[in-house]
Every structure is written in C-alpha cells, then in structure tokens.
Amino acid sequence: MQIIRDIATLHRAVAALKQGGKSVALVPTMGALHEGHISLVRMGRRVADHVVASIFVNPTQFGPNEDFAAYPRDEARDAGMLVEEGVALLWAPDVGVMYPAGHATHIEVAELGADYCGAARPGHFDGVATVVAKLFNQVRPDIAIFGEKDWQQLAIIRRMARDLDFDIDILGAPIARADDGLALSSRNAYLSPEQRKAAVSFPKALQTAAAALANGDDMYETLAKAEAAIIAGGFDSVDYIALADADSLEQLATFRASARLLAAARMGKTRLIDNYPVG
Ligand code: AMP
C-alpha cells in the first residue's frame, strides 16, 4: 500500500489504478480506525476493483472548543490495518496540502446542516462538505463510502454530490456496533471504563424508542422517556433526540415509513451520536 501526501503523486497513482477500466472506491476517514471504518473498506472491496482510503483530521469541521488537538492520531497503526484489508493506497495529506496559504473557498450547506448536529456544531457541515468535495476532486473515485453512523453527514453528502454534479456513487454502510450495542466511534476512546459501561444506555434507549414509535406510541412521550433513560443511564445531557425523514432530514411530528431516530448525548467531555431506523 502506497502512502501518498501530495496531489500530483496521488493523481498518477489513481490513474494507474484505473487503467484498463478498473473502478476505485474512496473511504474517507479521520483515522483512529476501528471495525466501523474497516466495514466501509470491506464494502469498497466488494463494490470496486480498488479501495483508496484517506486519513485527514480536518480542522475546519471542528469548533473552537472541540477536540481537534486531542483527536486520537496513530497513522502507523491505521496503515497496518488498511494493508491487512487490501487497501491500494492511503491518501494522507498534511493540513498545508489540503489548505494551502490563501485557501478561501468553501461549500455552504443550507437547511440540511442547520439542525441536529449542525445546531450544536455551527459550521461543522460546511467544513465536512468542503473537505469531502476536495477529497472527491483529489481522488476522483467512482464510488465513495460513508457510514450510516453519521446519518446527517451521509444525507448531506448525497445531496452535495447531486447538487454539485459529482459523478460519484455515494454508498452508505450499516452502523458497526460493539457487542453491547454501542456504535463504534473513535471518540469512544475518551470514555473511562465506567463511562464506557454506562454508555450502553444510549443505544438501548434509542432502540426502545424506535420500537415504540413504530408501534404507534406518542412521539413526544416516547422521546421524553428515551431522554430520561439516557440521563438516568449516566449521560450528562442530550443535545437532541428527534424523529426525522431519512432523506430530507425534515423533523417529523409522527412516525412514517422511512423515518430515522437521530440523537446526540454528552457524557463528561465526550459527545456521542447514534441513530436507528423506525419501522
Ligand atoms: P470518522 O473517521 O469518524 O470521520 O469516520 C469515517 C467514516 O467512517 C464516516 O463515513 C463514518 O460515518 C464511518 N463510521 C464511523 N464509525 C462507524 C460505525 N460504527 N459504523 C459504520 N461507519 C462508521
């Protein structure tokens, strides 16, 4: 596996991979890889001839009081995992390559990025959309794979690809969970062993609420119960818990087919997100 840090070399390497009409799938990540990321890579291996992974901890998607500096970084370990999975090349640019001096243009995500995680993290999805658009132009993949774990992000990227005419198939991969149900996340590493145990209350409460909503239970009551269960389980606060249309992310007052239950909660310094289909 080649590790590439400059755009000219990347273009040559991807062109070589594409020779003979071969297809390329891109799996963008911020590193600190776990089985969730690896499931995306495996999907890439199934749907394309070659997988290109990227690792870039994107400063523009972190707010001023967020964990950019503390975000876990271990490129050597990550690269070892990607080699094992048969990844063809790793695109790992420095910040100065991604954002050279004078970089001034960005993508603005309108209503899709305003609520849910966007409300607690102003500018976050503009940063995500801009870096993903740049990754698309840098790598020029046929397919790009994102996790359903970040449901709002996946919906925004699908919309961006459509709005900006990227000729790239956007695929969503199912959420990889630990045995107790907690969605795998690089941020789980921030949790102490006690916090990690308590964190199971989050997916449990969401799963229970999703089943209740599909069953026709009252939405406000169900969401209030879920929020109480998350707090009782050891979380300090719930940023949001909402029923949304799976594609438009429009907030729903009642259950309908294609609804998704979206939530974010904080335990100490750690903010976790999760989502479940309803029905
Ligand atoms: P990140 O490194 O956290 O930016 O994540 C990179 C990609 O992996 C994103 O498309 C995430 O949605 C996806 N991802 C992260 N965790 C999981 C998970 N537990 N299951 C599925 N996909 C995931």
Side-chain angles (χ1 to χ4, degrees), residues 27-37 39-40 61 71 145-151 153 173-177 182-187:
V27 176
T29 82
M30 299 203 300
L33 301 182
H34 50 64
E35 276 301 314
H37 300 110
S39 72
L40 271 54
Q61 70 188 68
Y71 199 84
I145 303 175
F146 297 84
E148 291 183 349
K149 153 126 185 313
D150 300 88
W151 190 270
Q153 168 174 283
I175 302 177
R177 297 183 180 278
L182 184 68
L184 300 181
S185 165
S186 307
R187 292 193 165 97

Side-chain angles (χ1 to χ4, degrees), residues 207-219 222 225 243 254-257 259 277-279:
Q207 202 177 15
T208 304
L213 291 167
N215 199 35
D217 289 11
D218 177 76
M219 192 192 72
T222 304
K225 247 195 236 169
L243 188 65
T254 51
F255 161 70
R256 72 159 84 127
V278 178

Side-chain angles (χ1 to χ4, degrees), residues 2-157:
Q2 262 182 290
I3 302 181
I4 298 180
R5 301 189 199 280
D6 72 277
I7 291 174
T9 308
L10 176 71
H11 284 169
R12 279 198 300 277
V14 173
L17 292 179
K18 285 184 165 178
Q19 256 178 16
K22 298 269 200 274
S23 59
V24 166
L26 171 66
V27 176
T29 82
M30 299 203 300
L33 301 182
H34 50 64
E35 276 301 314
H37 300 110
I38 297 305
S39 72
L40 271 54
V41 170
R42 289 184 183 153
M43 180 181 271
R45 294 290 313 271
R46 287 197 299 277
V47 298
D49 295 304
H50 299 289
V51 174
V52 172
S54 66
I55 296 180
F56 181 66
V57 185
N58 176 35
T60 70
Q61 70 188 68
F62 287 80
N65 298 315
E66 293 185 353
D67 55 343
F68 175 70
Y71 199 84
R73 292 164 171 88
D74 189 346
E75 189 189 284
R77 173 187 164 277
D78 291 343
M81 290 170 75
L82 296 172
V83 168
E84 289 283 304
E85 296 297 327
V87 168
L89 70 85
L90 170 58
W91 170 227
D94 284 336
V95 175
V97 170
M98 191 61 87
Y99 301 112
H103 188 280
T105 306
H106 76 271
I107 290 175
E108 197 174 309
V109 178
E111 79 275 16
L112 271 183
D115 290 335
Y116 316 116
C117 283
R121 309 183 72 188
H124 169 69
F125 288 115
D126 294 353
V128 169
T130 302
V131 82
V132 169
K134 287 170 69 69
L135 289 167
F136 284 178
N137 284 328
Q138 290 161 353
V139 177
R140 302 169 191 164
D142 302 286
I143 296 166
I145 303 175
F146 297 84
E148 291 183 349
K149 153 126 185 313
D150 300 88
W151 190 270
Q152 187 175 14
Q153 168 174 283
L154 175 60
I156 284 170
I157 287 164

